[in-house]
Structures are given as C-alpha cells and as structure tokens.
Amino acid sequence: MMIESNNPEINVDELMHKICEEVVKRRVPCEQIDLQSNLDTSKLKLSISYIENFLKNAESRSGVRTKWPDKLNIFPFNFSTKLQKLILKIINFLFKDEREVNFNIISSLKESVALNYQLIEQITTLKAQVDTRIQGLDECLVNVDTRIQGLDKRLVNVDTHIQALDERLVNVDTSIQGIEDSLNAIDTLINNWLTGLQEGLDTMNMQVQYLDEHLSTVDARVGKLNEHLITTDNRIITADTRIQEINERYIRNDSYLKNDLIQQKHLITVFLEEARKCLPENFSQEQLQTLVNENTHFFDAFYVAFEDQFRGSRQDILNRLKVYLPLIAGAKIGKPESPILDVGCGRGEWLELLQEAGYTARGLDINRLMIQQCKARGLEVIEKDALSYLQSLPDSSLGAVTGFHIIEHLPFEDLLKLFGEAARVIKTGGLVIFETPNPQNVLVGSCSFYYDPTHRNPLPFLTIEYIAQYYGFSHVQILKLNPSEQNRVADNSELTQRFNEYFYGSMDYAVIGFKS
C-alpha cells in the first residue's frame, strides 16, 4: 500500500499517445502505405499483422512472474527456491500498477487492430461496389457510343431523304404553276357562268315573289278555313258531350224504368196470386198483411236510383272502403269460424272487397233490387231485417259486424238494440265498424245530410262513441274520413284553420270498437 501511495496516478490516454509516437519513430519495417494510390489492402493487413506480433510479445511479457528467469540461475543469483519465490512476489507487487497499465494498453491496441480489420473489410466492399459501378458505367458508355453511331447513320439517311424531297418540291412548284394557269382559266369560265346564273336567279326571284303573293292569298283562305274547322270541331265536341250525357241519362233511366217495372210486376203478381187464392171470397187478414208487406218494397227502385245519383260511383266507394281492410287483417277474423256480417250492404262494395281479400262475409238488406245486384256479382246476401237477424244468432258467433251509412236511418231505440246485439254476437277480439255522415262538418250537418229523405237525425261522433263504450266495446276510436274536395281558404291563422275544419273537413266518420 505504501508503494501505491508513493506512485503518482497514471494517465492512460497520455501513455497511449506516447506509445503511438514511439511506434511511428521506430517505423515498421515494411513499405510505406500510400492511401492516395490504389488502396492495396494487402499491405495494410501485412502492417497490422506485424503490429499484432508486437502485441502478442508484449502480452506474454506483461503477465505475473511465476518462474525465476533461467539467466539468473548462475552465480551469484542462484538463490534458493523459496527465496526466488519471495523475490518474485515482491517484484510482482512492486510492478502491479505497471502490469495493469500494460494490460489496458495491450487490450486497447487489440481493439484498435480489430477495428482496423473491420475498416479494411468495409474498404474492400466499397472498392468492389465502386468497381461494379464503374464497369456498369463503361457498359452504358459503350451503349451510348453504339446509339450515337446509329443516330449518325439515321442522320445520313435523313439528309438523303431531304435531298430527295427538295427535288420533289422543285417538281411540285412546276406542277403548281401549271395548276395556277388552269385555275385562272377556270375562274374566267366560272365568272361567265355566275353572270348567267345571276340573271337566271333574278328571273326566278321575280317568279318566287309572284308565288309568295299567291301563297299569302292562299294562306289567308286556309286560315279562314281553319277557324271554321275549329268552330265546327268545338260544336262537334259539344254535341258529343251532350250525346254522351243523353246516353248516360237514357241508360240510367232505362235501368230505373226496368227496375221499377220489375217491382211493379212483382207487386201485381203477388196481388193476383193472393186474389186467386181467395176467389170468390174476400181477402183474409193474412193475405192483406202480405200485400202490406210487399208495399214496403214500393220504393226499392227509387232508392237504387237515388243511391246511384248521390252515393257516388261503385269504384269511388270501393276506394274509400279499402281503409278498413287493415283493421280486419289485424283482428285476424273473416274465417269460416269468425265470419263478417255487413248490415245494410246496399250495392255490395264492402262485401266485394272482403271476397277479393279471401275473407268469409255475408250481407243483409231489405231492398230486393240491391240484393239482386249483389247476387249477380256472386256475393252472399240475405233479405232480412238487421235486428231480427242478429237476434236469431247465437252468442259469439261472428268476427265483426259492419254497417256503412246505415245507423243514421234507424230510430234511436233500434240504434241502441243494434249495438247491444252486435256486442252479444261478436267473438272476443272481434270488432264493430259503423260509418255515418259527420255533422261536425257544417255543410253536411245543415244540408247534404238531408239529401236522403230516409235519414232521421245527424249523429255526432261523441254520442256514437259513448254508445259503443256503454255496450262494452273497448279501445273505441273515431276515424274521420273523406274531407271535402272544395278549395280551402289559404291562410295559416287559427281562425282560418278552424273555419276550414268546420266547412271543408271530413264529411264522414267511422266508430270502431273492439270486444275484449
């Protein structure tokens, strides 16, 4: 420890610098390397191998001394073995720092040699890449020279072609001169021909002007004829319209007369049949009642004609009634075990829609002519009073009871009985639908409702809604339908909207109730 404390600290970097300087002074016994020459890496490797020999020798001599040198076995240094080992330990202890320094220096130099080897390998690789690039450039230059030679040959051919073109241009100039002479001659001929043509055109213009004047006169006459034809067409159209109206009226009146004659014939037949039964006696009470009952059908033909005039066309009614088909589909009724009954079926528009949709349905009416029309369309219709028929049915035997523009014809007592019987015969889940004029529309409630003399009283929807709820129908709803087609007042104020609702709103409504 005393020796270490007395020795100053060794600077490794400074020591390495000094060693490098010493190596440069001694100069390796080899040829000087010229880096600016052809970068001969074999010379660099030879120099580095020479340095490696130095390092191996230095490394072998920098280790710990464990053997007494043979040169010191002569007198007076031939000490005993124990003394030799002691001396070696002392020497090793004294030169411990120097050994470490030497070892570090040798390790650094070995790493430097390894790095030099890596640099030599990289230099070799770069040299090979440069040589390859140079070889490629040489090949490109050879190709460029070849293409330049080809271009030279093509330029020679172009020069030859240009000379030939120059010769042809000389010939063309000669030809052009001849063509110009010919054109001058043609111009002279054309000028002469145009002069004659202009004179002919002047003559034709005079003739065309005369024709234009004549055509103007003809056009004026044709215009008058067209006006006359338009007037005639309008008169024909008016006549056709009037003829069509007359034909429609004739067909309608013919139908009404036929229906009325059929009814009268039926009444006469009934009368004669009853008279034949009682002759030579007087009519019995039963026979008189039969005649009275037949008398109730006296206005059947009139009401059929009245319906055709005021109810609307069959196609219009079919389109209006389609709104109820989703209700039937939603209730899952109209099957043989849950049929639909339409009271007051009239011309059978609703029954026709149900039949086309595949539902089981039948209708009731007391107008024989309408019943005949329905049967002619293949519809199932029964001639019977609605209340008496419903009273004859068992409980929960129908899927739905419907009636369109029928309840306004009934006395109030019969109206209540109709709802009561409908509630009794409808199955659970079935429904009732009754459509009637909407008196909330002022024009309907004050005027159009009374077009039909068989109507009794307008029925406000709140009243009918209450009656349906009273007789046990649930989820009762009012469906307002068929708004007026007249133009409404164009204003967004609240007063105008209320006015439009009362005067141009829904002309009909339907009460819909479900049996739960």
Side-chain angles (χ1 to χ4, degrees):
M1 294 297 294
M2 291 178 61
I3 293 174
E4 290 180 359
S5 63
N6 290 331
N7 289 331
E9 184 178 357
I10 297 173
N11 191 329
V12 177
D13 294 335
E14 185 178 353
L15 184 59
M16 284 289 294
H17 183 68
K18 289 180 179 182
I19 292 171
C20 291
E21 289 180 353
E22 186 66 24
V23 171
V24 171
K25 288 178 183 180
R26 291 184 181 184
R27 295 182 182 277
V28 295
C30 63
E31 297 180 1
Q32 186 175 2
I33 300 171
D34 186 9
L35 297 176
Q36 300 298 327
S37 62
N38 292 330
L39 293 175
D40 189 357
T41 58
S42 62
K43 293 180 180 181
L44 290 174
K45 291 181 179 180
L46 181 62
S47 299
I48 293 173
S49 64
Y50 189 78
I51 293 172
E52 281 182 326
N53 292 331
F54 273 112
L55 290 174
K56 288 179 181 180
N57 187 23
E59 186 176 11
S60 64
R61 299 171 68 88
S62 64
V64 177
R65 294 286 181 176
T66 59
K67 182 181 179 183
W68 189 259
D70 293 336
K71 294 179 181 181
L72 296 180
N73 285 330
I74 61 175
F75 183 84
F77 302 104
N78 53 349
F79 302 111
S80 63
T81 302
K82 292 182 178 181
L83 184 59
Q84 288 177 0
K85 289 182 179 181
L86 179 61
I87 292 171
L88 288 174
K89 288 182 179 181
I90 293 171
I91 290 172
N92 288 331
F93 180 76
L94 291 175
F95 291 95
K96 179 181 179 182
D97 292 337
E98 285 76 1
R99 283 199 311 274
E100 291 181 358
V101 171
N102 290 334
F103 181 77
N104 290 332
I105 291 172
I106 290 169
S107 298
S108 300
L109 290 174
K110 288 174 74 176
E111 292 180 0
S112 177
V113 168
L115 289 174
N116 285 328
Y117 272 120
Q118 293 179 2
L119 289 173
I120 289 170
E121 293 296 330
Q122 292 180 0
I123 289 169
T124 302
T125 303
L126 290 174
K127 184 179 178 182
Q129 294 177 356
V130 170
D131 291 340
T132 303
R133 295 284 298 275
I134 290 172
Q135 185 178 358
L137 290 174
D138 290 339
E139 293 176 356
C140 290
L141 289 174
V142 171
N143 293 332
V144 170
D145 291 338
T146 303
R147 294 185 68 182
I148 289 173
Q149 291 176 2
L151 289 174
D152 291 338
K153 293 180 181 179
R154 293 180 67 182
L155 287 174
V156 172
N157 294 332
V158 169
D159 290 338
T160 305
H161 187 63
I162 289 173
Q163 290 177 1
L165 289 175
D166 289 339
E167 294 175 359
R168 293 180 67 182
L169 286 174
V170 172
N171 295 330
V172 169
D173 290 338
T174 304
S175 300
I176 290 173
Q177 185 64 39
I179 292 171
E180 288 179 350
D181 295 338
S182 300
L183 288 175
N184 290 331
I186 291 172
D187 287 339
T188 302
L189 292 174
I190 290 174
N191 289 330
N192 295 333
W193 181 74
L194 289 175
T195 301
L197 182 63
Q198 185 65 40
E199 293 176 355
L201 288 174
D202 293 338
T203 304
M204 289 181 66
N205 286 332
M206 294 176 63
Q207 294 178 357
V208 168
Q209 185 176 2
Y210 172 77
L211 289 173
D212 287 340
E213 294 176 354
H214 182 68
L215 288 174
S216 298
T217 304
V218 173
D219 286 339
R221 295 180 63 184
V222 169
K224 292 181 179 179
L225 289 174
N226 285 333
E227 293 177 356
H228 182 69
L229 288 174
I230 291 171
T231 303
T232 303
D233 288 340
N234 291 332
R235 294 178 65 182
I236 291 172
I237 291 171
T238 303
D240 287 340
T241 304
R242 292 185 63 185
I243 290 171
Q244 185 176 359
E245 291 176 354
I246 291 171
N247 285 334
E248 290 177 356
R249 289 175 60 185
Y250 172 78
I251 293 170
R252 191 183 306 114
N253 291 333
D254 181 65
S255 175
Y256 297 158
L257 289 174
K258 286 180 179 179
N259 291 333
D260 191 59
L261 288 174
I262 291 171
Q263 184 65 27
Q264 297 297 331
K265 181 180 178 180
H266 178 74
L267 292 176
I268 292 171
T269 301
V270 171
F271 178 81
L272 292 176
E273 182 65 23
E274 295 298 328
R276 186 183 63 79
K277 289 179 181 179
C278 70
L279 289 176
E281 303 294 333
N282 294 328
F283 286 113
S284 66
Q285 188 64 33
E286 183 180 355
Q287 291 172 335
L288 291 175
Q289 185 62 43
T290 300
L291 294 176
V292 170
N293 292 336
E294 290 295 328
N295 194 43
T296 58
H297 297 287
F298 183 77
F299 295 102
D300 284 358
F302 168 81
Y303 202 74
V304 170
F306 184 86
E307 283 278 310
D308 292 340
Q309 179 69 28
F310 292 97
R311 174 71 169 144
S313 69
R314 186 178 187 84
Q315 189 59 45
D316 290 340
I317 303 305
L318 284 170
N319 293 332
R320 290 180 186 178
L321 294 177
K322 289 178 181 178
V323 70
Y324 300 107
L325 289 176
L327 295 172
I328 303 300
K332 298 180 180 180
I333 57 175
K335 302 175 182 179
E337 65 273 13
S338 57
I340 301 168
L341 178 67
D342 185 34
V343 297
C345 60
R347 297 178 299 189
E349 293 93 343
W350 175 236
L351 291 176
E352 184 176 349
L353 284 176
L354 293 175
Q355 187 182 68
E356 291 176 354
Y359 296 114
T360 301
R362 58 180 176 269
L364 297 177
D365 209 296
I366 59 174
N367 189 309
R368 290 175 176 172
L369 294 179
M370 288 186 175
I371 291 173
Q372 291 175 6
Q373 292 181 7
C374 291
K375 289 184 176 181
R377 296 180 180 273
L379 305 174
E380 182 182 353
V381 181
I382 301 171
E383 182 185 347
K384 198 162 187 180
D385 176 70
L387 279 178
S388 60
Y389 184 80
L390 287 172
Q391 289 169 355
S392 67
L393 295 177
D395 296 348
S396 302
S397 57
L398 296 177
V401 175
T402 62
F404 302 96
H405 291 261
I406 183 66
I407 59 176
E408 67 271 14
H409 295 265
L410 301 178
F412 183 70
E413 294 80 2
D414 291 343
L415 176 63
L416 296 180
K417 291 179 182 179
L418 176 64
F419 272 92
E421 289 299 320
R424 180 183 64 83
V425 298
I426 292 176
K427 294 176 177 289
T428 301
L431 73 157
V432 64
I433 302 174
F434 289 120
E435 181 182 302
T436 187
N438 181 18
Q440 191 176 31
N441 183 310
V442 174
L443 298 179
V444 172
S446 62
C447 182
S448 62
F449 179 84
Y450 298 100
Y451 288 169
D452 189 341
T454 61
H455 284 177
R456 289 185 172 265
N457 297 304
L459 300 172
F461 64 83
L462 291 177
T463 302
I464 303 303
E465 181 182 32
Y466 173 77
I467 293 174
Q469 292 171 346
Y470 178 82
Y471 281 96
F473 290 100
S474 61
H475 306 291
V476 178
Q477 55 181 299
I478 298 298
L479 182 63
K480 294 186 177 181
L481 304 162
N482 309 324
S484 174
E485 297 179 355
Q486 298 183 19
N487 293 329
R488 298 192 173 204
V489 179
D491 190 1
N492 292 328
S493 65
E494 181 179 359
L495 181 60
T496 302
Q497 291 178 1
R498 292 181 64 185
F499 176 84
N500 288 330
E501 178 66 23
Y502 285 131
F503 280 85
Y504 305 110
S506 300
M507 296 186 293
D508 302 307
Y509 74 86
V511 60
I512 303 166
F514 296 84
K515 184 176 179 180
S516 56

